[in-house]
């Protein structure tokens, strides 16, 4: 599971310290046949949790995004469904309530649901007054609008429209609705680190869509606008620097140079009556996004069984063991196995001996009759070395005269040792200079002008005439231009080698 974002929804159970949890995960890159049993049915504090993984991942490559929902046993959903259009519904345990989608063609609906970006789970909840209601969670990972691909912006806006139609249809049917996940749009200027410098920030079509979806006066009674409320801004309307996404390439998280793309949106009645808190967890690492969540003052009413979309019912896991205890069952020994494990009979042993002797006879045997050698036998004594050296012819010493006095002998040894050390040093320097001339080594990094610190080398990845070229830039993390500890604007092309 590469680069996972965890969006948590906590429902407070009356009279209990242990909240029941539903975890929403987005931007997954894993296929069901690559998952392990522990990933399919996570063991939580109260037992084996039910995981509703998106089967649509089977239809796309493992690099495509996907979403998943994990629920504790105490929050087992009554229904689950893949996609927003209803074309992937199986008529067995589906959520339903699709609304009027006549503005979409069948081909367009299939395309919008082909990337595994939405998963719906429907739960039963009980309020403080004891009323039982229906709550539908829409776990989404909305498309990103690539500036270089205009068709992706159109795809993103059509996905937004389909999401809104489905959510409003569920509301009209009497269900509470929570839209949870990465919407890939920073709604207001307070939600973006550099909104004042972005041209036409307010004119972005994604922000206009959110303006129509959300109420414009937060949690206040009597506010007007869309049917949903941004739960975080409901509790923290003026909190600056509340971001959920940062660039990992520029290290922008160190200076909180990011944007808020992840949301917990609830329908107005649900947020005003039951939401107790909405939070971000920027200190939790592991992704370019951080978790977001909310706390509701309701208790969950679990279903008696998991919906058919749950991964435990997928063909890949049919008949597999779900708990570790199944692997620890004491096995009774089969009587047939006991008989087969008896020692071989004498007749069988006698029949095997000739074969064994024939095999051993083909192996070369040592001629020596001695036993195993000792370690000291591999070392040569000093007397034998002296005898061997006596047979060697000594080289001519020329004009050198062997010293006869003890003082001359000591002086000769010192001179000889210094000569050998000098020769070894010179030889080492020659080798080092040779390899330096061959390999060259990396050039020193240039210093940025803003901080006088070594730069880092980057490679151009954008298609164009400079694709693949190397350049130098400041090594500090990206941050606000007014922050002196942030990256400066130093740039230098690398000379071709």
């Amino acid at each position: 599971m590469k680069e996972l974002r965890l969006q948590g929804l906590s429902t407070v159970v009356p009279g209990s310290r242990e909240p029941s949890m539903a975890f929403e995960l987005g931007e997954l890159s894993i296929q069901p046949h690559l998952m392990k049993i522990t990933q399919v049915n996570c063991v939580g504090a109260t037992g084996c949790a039910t995981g509703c993984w998106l089967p649509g991942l089977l239809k796309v490559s493992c690099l495509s995004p996907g979403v998943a929902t994990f629920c504790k046993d105490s929050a087992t959903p009554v229904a689950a469904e893949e996609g927003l259009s209803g074309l992937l519904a199986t008529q067995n345990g589906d959520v339903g309530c699709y609304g009027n989608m006549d503005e979409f063609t069948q081909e367009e609906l299939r395309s919008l649901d082909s990337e595994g970006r939405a998963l719906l789970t429907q739960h039963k909840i009980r309020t403080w007054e004891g009323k039982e209601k229906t709550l539908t969670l829409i776990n989404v990972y909305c498309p990103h609008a690539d500036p270089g691909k205009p068709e992706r912006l159109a795809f993103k806006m059509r996905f937004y429209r389909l999401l809104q139609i489905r959510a409003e249809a569920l509301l009209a049917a009497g269900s509470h609705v929570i839209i949870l996940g990465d919407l890939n749009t920073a709604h207001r200027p307070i939600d973006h680190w550099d909104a004042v410098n972005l041209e036409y920030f307010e004119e972005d079509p994604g922000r206009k869509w959110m303006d129509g979806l959300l109420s414009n006066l937060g949690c206040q009674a009597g506010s007007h606008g869309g049917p949903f409320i941004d739960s975080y801004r409901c509790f923290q309307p003026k909190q600056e620097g509340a971001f959920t996404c940062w660039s990992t390439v520029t290290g922008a998280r160190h200076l909180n140079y990011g944007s808020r793309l992840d949301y917990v949106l609830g329908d107005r009645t649900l947020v005003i009556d039951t939401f107790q808190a909405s939070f971000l967890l920027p200190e939790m690492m592991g992704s370019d996004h951080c978790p977001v969540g909310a706390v509701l003052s309701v208790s969950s009413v679990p279903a008696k069984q998991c919906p058919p979309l749950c991964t435990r019912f997928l063909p890949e896991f049919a008949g597999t063991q779900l708990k570790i205890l199944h692997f620890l069952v004491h096995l009774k020994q089969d009587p047939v196995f006991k008989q087969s494990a008896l020692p071989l009979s004498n007749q069988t042993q006698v029949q095997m001996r000739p074969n064994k002797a024939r095999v051993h006879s083909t192996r070369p045997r040592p001629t020596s009759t001695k036993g195993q050698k000792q370690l000291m036998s591999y070392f040569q004594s000093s007397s034998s070395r002296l005898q061997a050296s006596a047979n060697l012819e000594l080289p001519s010493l020329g004009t050198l005269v062997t010293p006869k006095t003890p003082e001359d002998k000591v002086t000769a040894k010192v001179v000889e040792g210094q000569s050998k050390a000098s020769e070894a040093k010179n030889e080492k320097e020659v080798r080092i200079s040779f390899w330096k001339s061959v390999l060259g080594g990396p050039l020193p990094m240039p210093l940025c002008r803003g901080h006088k610190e070594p730069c880092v080398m980057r490679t151009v990845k954008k298609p164009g005439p400079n694709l693949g070229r190397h350049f130098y830039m400041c090594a500090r993390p990206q941050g606000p231009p007014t922050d002196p500890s942030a990256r400066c604007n130093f740039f230098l092309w690398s000379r071709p080698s």
Side-chain angles (χ1 to χ4, degrees):
M1 219 174 288
K2 173 185 168 214
E3 2 181 277
L4 299 179
R5 277 193 322 280
L6 179 66
Q7 289 91 24
L9 179 70
S10 173
T11 60
V12 177
V13 182
S16 174
R17 296 183 180 178
E18 179 74 20
S20 59
M21 300 292 291
F23 294 112
E24 314 280 345
L25 294 89
E27 201 173 352
L28 303 181
S29 298
I30 189 170
Q31 293 179 332
H33 70 276
L34 299 177
M35 293 189 297
K36 300 178 182 180
I37 297 300
T38 54
Q39 295 169 334
V40 178
N41 295 281
C42 290
V43 178
T46 59
C48 193
T50 60
C52 295
W53 282 79
L54 189 64
L57 293 176
L58 286 170
K59 303 181 182 68
V60 294
S61 68
C62 62
L63 297 179
S64 297
V67 291
T69 301
F70 280 95
C71 307
K72 279 190 175 182
D73 287 337
S74 58
T76 302
V78 297
E81 184 179 332
E82 173 192 357
L84 297 171
S85 66
L87 297 181
L88 304 178
T90 60
Q91 306 299 327
N92 185 13
D94 296 327
V95 174
C97 303
Y98 303 102
N100 186 2
M101 300 183 181
D102 294 340
E103 60 185 273
F104 298 91
T105 64
Q106 292 292 309
E107 182 180 356
E108 189 176 11
L109 291 175
R110 290 192 183 92
S111 176
L112 292 173
D113 273 342
S114 65
E115 297 183 358
R117 292 184 176 273
L119 179 64
L120 285 74
T121 56
Q122 199 164 69
H123 307 257
K124 292 294 182 181
I125 59 173
R126 184 176 291 112
T127 63
W128 287 101
E129 296 84 5
K131 297 180 181 179
E132 189 170 306
K133 298 183 178 181
T134 302
L135 172 62
T136 303
L137 302 181
I138 305 180
N139 182 11
V140 292
Y141 170 49
C142 296
H144 170 68
D146 190 343
K149 299 179 180 179
E151 68 278 4
R152 291 302 293 178
L153 175 59
F155 184 87
K156 175 180 180 178
M157 298 311 300
R158 296 300 282 171
F159 186 89
Y160 278 161
R161 177 59 181 159
L162 182 60
L163 172 61
Q164 184 173 358
I165 291 176
R166 185 68 186 276
E168 292 178 350
L170 289 164
L171 282 176
S175 172
H176 289 298
V177 177
I178 290 179
I179 301 175
L180 180 66
D182 181 3
L183 299 187
N184 252 321
T185 295
H187 184 205
R188 304 212 179 270
I190 195 176
D191 299 320
H192 198 282
W193 54 267
D194 200 22
V196 294
N197 295 325
L198 293 180
E199 189 176 6
Y200 307 115
F201 181 87
E202 300 289 348
E203 301 300 320
D204 180 80
R207 296 183 178 94
K208 287 188 173 182
W209 173 79
M210 293 190 71
D211 289 339
L213 181 71
L214 301 178
S215 296
N216 55 2
L217 293 180
C219 298
Q220 300 177 11
S223 62
H224 56 88
F228 289 90
I229 291 178
D230 180 356
S231 63
Y232 183 79
R233 285 303 172 199
C234 176
F235 292 94
Q236 305 289 341
K238 298 182 180 181
Q239 180 64 47
E240 297 182 355
F243 303 141
T244 65
C245 181
W246 305 264
S247 172
T248 56
V249 176
T250 62
R253 194 166 188 172
H254 295 283
L255 298 176
N256 196 25
Y257 199 59
S259 57
R260 191 169 70 98
L261 306 181
D262 305 86
Y263 299 84
V264 179
L265 310 180
D267 65 84
R268 287 185 43 79
T269 304
L270 182 69
V271 173
I272 294 174
D273 294 344
T274 66
F275 270 58
Q276 289 190 338
S278 184
F279 56 87
L280 314 178
L281 298 176
E283 68 279 359
M284 186 172 292
M285 302 296 177
S287 171
D288 58 336
H289 291 248
C290 77
V292 301
V295 180
L296 284 69
S297 59
V298 298
S299 61
S300 57
V301 181
K304 295 182 180 180
Q305 60 181 7
C306 302
L309 189 61
C310 180
T311 48
R312 66 174 62 183
F313 301 125
L314 291 178
E316 289 84 354
F317 307 106
T320 56
Q321 306 284 357
L322 298 181
K323 293 184 178 180
I324 193 65
L325 292 178
H326 292 155
F327 295 94
L328 304 178
V329 176
H330 178 70
L331 298 178
K332 295 182 179 180
Q333 196 172 15
D334 193 352
V336 178
F337 176 78
K338 289 182 178 180
Q339 294 180 1
S340 62
L342 292 176
L344 297 175
S345 62
N346 295 334
Q347 181 179 359
T348 307
Q349 295 180 6
V350 171
Q351 293 177 356
M352 291 181 64
R353 286 172 184 170
N355 296 334
K356 185 176 181 181
R358 184 171 63 253
V359 173
H360 280 245
S361 62
T362 59
R363 299 177 182 175
R365 295 179 179 273
T367 55
S368 175
T369 58
K370 295 183 180 180
Q372 184 177 359
K373 293 183 177 181
Q374 295 182 356
L375 184 61
M376 296 302 297
S377 62
Y378 293 94
F379 295 92
Q380 195 174 15
S381 61
S382 57
S383 58
S384 59
R385 288 199 301 268
L386 293 175
Q387 293 176 0
S389 59
N391 298 328
L392 297 177
E393 293 183 1
L394 296 176
S396 176
L397 299 180
T399 59
L400 293 177
V401 180
T402 303
K404 298 181 180 180
T405 63
E407 293 79 4
D408 292 340
K409 291 182 179 180
V410 172
T411 304
K413 289 183 179 181
V414 172
V415 172
E416 184 180 1
Q418 293 178 350
S419 176
K420 290 182 179 180
S422 178
E423 292 177 358
K425 184 178 180 180
N426 294 336
E427 184 179 359
K428 183 178 180 180
E429 291 178 352
V430 171
R431 292 176 182 175
I432 293 176
S433 61
F434 168 76
W435 285 113
K436 281 186 177 181
S437 63
V438 173
L439 300 179
L443 297 176
M445 288 289 179
L447 303 181
C448 67
R449 295 189 181 96
H451 308 99
K452 305 300 180 182
E453 296 175 352
C455 295
V456 292
M457 178 182 287
R458 302 296 186 195
T459 305
V460 178
K461 298 182 179 179
K462 184 178 181 180
N466 292 323
L467 179 64
R469 288 190 64 182
H470 301 290
F471 61 93
Y472 300 101
M473 61 185 302
C474 179
R476 292 201 177 192
Q478 188 179 14
T482 57
D483 190 346
S485 63
R487 172 185 300 173
C488 63
N489 59 356
F490 178 80
F491 178 88
L492 178 66
W493 285 112
S494 175
R495 296 180 180 179
S497 56

